[in-house]
Amino acid sequence: MIFQTRLKGAKATLNVNGQHFQSIWFDESDDSVCIIDQTRLPHRFEIVTLNTLSDACHAIEAMQVRGAPLIGVTAVYGVYLALLEDPNQLAVALDRLAATRPTAVNLRWALDRMNAALRNTLAEKRVEVALQQARAMEAEDSAICADIGTQGVKLLQEIWDAKLDKSKPLNVLTHCNAGALAAVDWGTALSVIYKTAEVGVPLHVWVDETRPRNQGASLTCWELGQQEIAHTLIVDNAGGHLMQQGLVDCCVVGSDRTTITGDVCNKIGTYLKALAAFDNDVPFFVALPVSSIDFTLIDGIKEIPIEERDAEEVSHLNGIDEKGQFSKIRLCPEGVAVSNFGFDVTPARLITKIITEKGVFDAQQSQLQRLRN
Ligand code: MRU
């Protein structure tokens, strides 16, 4: 059974028990940085305080924070925390943070910006400048993600306007979590969904569970639930079947790195959804900030480094048991060989449009290079 969002003007962003949260924020009372621990969602809503460079690196590596924009903002706060410890450890901090996760280019982009702002700053001024920069980038990310959503509304509205059977909602399929939890606020793909709900389009979202870490099942479902956006969780392999049955009007996903030619690297499994969408004439949209475009790359399949992660993410499942306790179970024979690539590349030819804060573009170099400056 497909439920339909009834709430018009759904409030975007994370509203937990009536209180608005960002995924990351600065706590002026004790010079620390706060995050929502995403490894505990949806079962527990826990805030973790980051006080040191090591805390920031751990938060990114352990995926307490994840999602390309949020990784970038956490990293710049990590530089600030490092300089609080020792104003002379800028280079060490940049190197350590850059090594935390390889695929999302926002990390490198954010650290490059931080480096440019700090390398010629006197040691005694560095902490102050680093905090100003980090807070500015936090605010900027939120505004950019809100704009991405606004830019995407017209695409979804057009599909809704053309939909003949208005007794059914606009069915959007998404993969992984490209929502407020993947950025400071709003998100990218989910920002488009939130903003489209705000203008009154009746929406229903198919949420890919997104093995192996299940960010769709745990994070996207939680986030959409907070916003009262109708959604249904599906196994990763269901999308093709749903498209063949006419149950998907469009797909909207995020991106961790996009080449200047329009190839998009996103969570593993995105490529297969794009292939199924292409075969079924379902529009496939990618929503991303310009900071996710790597203007140095031409061929995503050959050039984008794909993160390989721990085998346990595939061989085991994490969740809570009937007693509400966190627990881990093994799915496969002990010691089985496991491969765990975190991302894949969707070639530009399979992408209908790229939605950015600066407008909507074809996945083509002639269009994307206009965003370079
Ligand atoms: O491994 P993750 O959870 O960091 O992967 C996240 C994604 O793949 C998102 O789709 C991507 O970062 C875009 S986020 C706005």
Side-chain angles (χ1 to χ4, degrees):
M1 162 126 186
I2 301 175
F3 295 94
Q4 179 171 321
T5 301
R6 293 181 212 290
L7 193 84
K8 283 189 185 174
K11 278 210 187 79
T13 72
L14 304 171
N15 294 297
V16 183
N17 299 327
Q19 197 184 336
H20 170 239
F21 284 89
Q22 294 187 162
S23 298
I24 190 167
W25 66 96
F26 180 68
D27 184 347
E28 287 177 4
S29 68
D30 67 350
D31 267 355
S32 62
V33 178
C34 297
I35 57 167
I36 298 167
D37 184 350
Q38 300 192 22
T39 63
R40 308 288 281 177
L41 287 173
H43 314 296
R44 310 262 196 282
F45 182 79
E46 290 178 1
I47 293 165
V48 168
T49 301
L50 311 179
N51 293 298
T52 64
L53 170 63
S54 293
D55 290 347
C57 292
H58 172 77
I60 299 171
E61 280 162 351
M63 293 178 66
Q64 289 177 314
V65 291
R66 26 66 53 204
L70 181 57
I71 292 169
V73 175
T74 307
V76 295
Y77 272 120
V79 174
Y80 162 69
L81 294 172
L83 297 178
L84 260 187
E85 293 175 83
D86 174 359
N88 292 309
Q89 65 163 338
L90 177 61
V92 173
L94 294 172
D95 284 352
R96 271 192 71 188
L97 287 158
T100 50
R101 292 194 71 188
T103 300
V105 76
N106 303 62
L107 177 65
R108 194 188 73 201
W109 171 87
L111 292 175
D112 285 350
R113 256 181 78 165
M114 211 58 171
N115 190 26
L118 290 167
R119 67 180 163 228
N120 296 322
T121 304
L122 294 174
E124 59 266 29
K125 277 270 175 201
R126 274 190 205 141
V127 170
E128 188 190 327
V129 174
L131 182 59
Q132 275 168 6
Q133 284 291 323
R135 295 190 83 169
M137 283 165 82
E138 173 197 315
E140 191 182 292
D141 186 77
S142 177
I144 284 172
C145 285
D147 287 349
I148 290 171
T150 306
Q151 293 287 351
V153 171
K154 52 183 173 284
L155 295 174
L156 269 60
Q157 178 85 58
E158 266 170 34
I159 297 172
W160 171 245
D161 290 346
K163 184 164 170 143
L164 297 177
D165 184 359
K166 293 277 197 299
S167 69
K168 306 263 167 53
L170 185 78
N171 283 305
V172 184
L173 183 143
T174 194
H175 192 69
C176 196
N177 173 265
L181 288 167
V184 171
D185 213 339
W186 292 96
T188 56
L190 293 195
S191 182
V192 174
I193 286 166
Y194 295 144
K195 294 280 185 180
T196 303
E198 273 186 2
V199 299
V201 173
L203 275 172
H204 165 263
V205 184
W206 296 111
V207 182
D208 285 348
E209 58 179 342
T210 320
R211 281 280 288 147
R213 286 188 69 100
N214 296 304
Q215 292 96 324
S218 58
L219 304 178
T220 300
C221 287
W222 182 79
E223 209 184 301
L224 291 173
Q226 297 296 320
Q227 299 306 325
E228 301 184 48
I229 303 277
H231 59 283
T232 304
L233 176 64
I234 52 174
V235 295
D236 287 328
N237 295 328
H241 169 71
L242 295 176
M243 291 184 215
Q244 286 174 328
Q245 297 300 316
L247 294 170
V248 181
D249 295 305
C250 66
C251 302
V252 189
V253 300
S255 169
D256 286 83
R257 198 184 289 224
T258 298
T259 64
I260 191 168
T261 51
D263 295 343
V264 162
C265 183
N266 191 49
K267 182 54 56 190
I268 193 87
T270 304
Y271 169 48
L272 293 178
K273 295 299 132 61
L275 277 174
F278 191 78
D279 195 41
N280 289 283
D281 286 327
V282 171
F284 192 88
F285 302 128
V286 186
L288 54 99
V290 174
S291 57
S292 295
I293 303 177
D294 188 336
F295 292 99
T296 67
L297 301 187
I298 301 285
D299 185 334
I301 295 167
K302 290 196 183 131
E303 295 177 288
I304 297 179
I306 302 293
E307 177 178 18
E308 286 185 71
R309 298 189 55 87
D310 201 294
E312 268 212 355
E313 291 183 351
V314 179
S315 60
H316 290 66
L317 266 187
N318 287 306
I320 53 166
D321 60 23
E322 290 129 7
K323 293 187 181 124
Q325 303 296 319
F326 278 93
S327 77
K328 180 192 284 189
I329 53 162
R330 178 160 49 81
L331 299 168
C332 53
E334 217 168 335
V336 76
V338 168
S339 155
N340 187 12
F341 290 98
F343 299 89
D344 62 24
V345 174
T346 299
R349 67 188 158 79
L350 301 177
I351 295 166
T352 312
K353 291 284 178 193
I354 288 181
I355 305 163
T356 77
E357 71 275 23
K358 302 276 181 213
V360 174
F361 299 88
D362 292 331
Q364 283 174 11
Q365 181 163 3
S366 56
Q367 299 229 345
L368 296 180
Q369 69 192 5
R370 290 196 265 147
L371 293 166
R372 194 167 216 151
N373 297 317

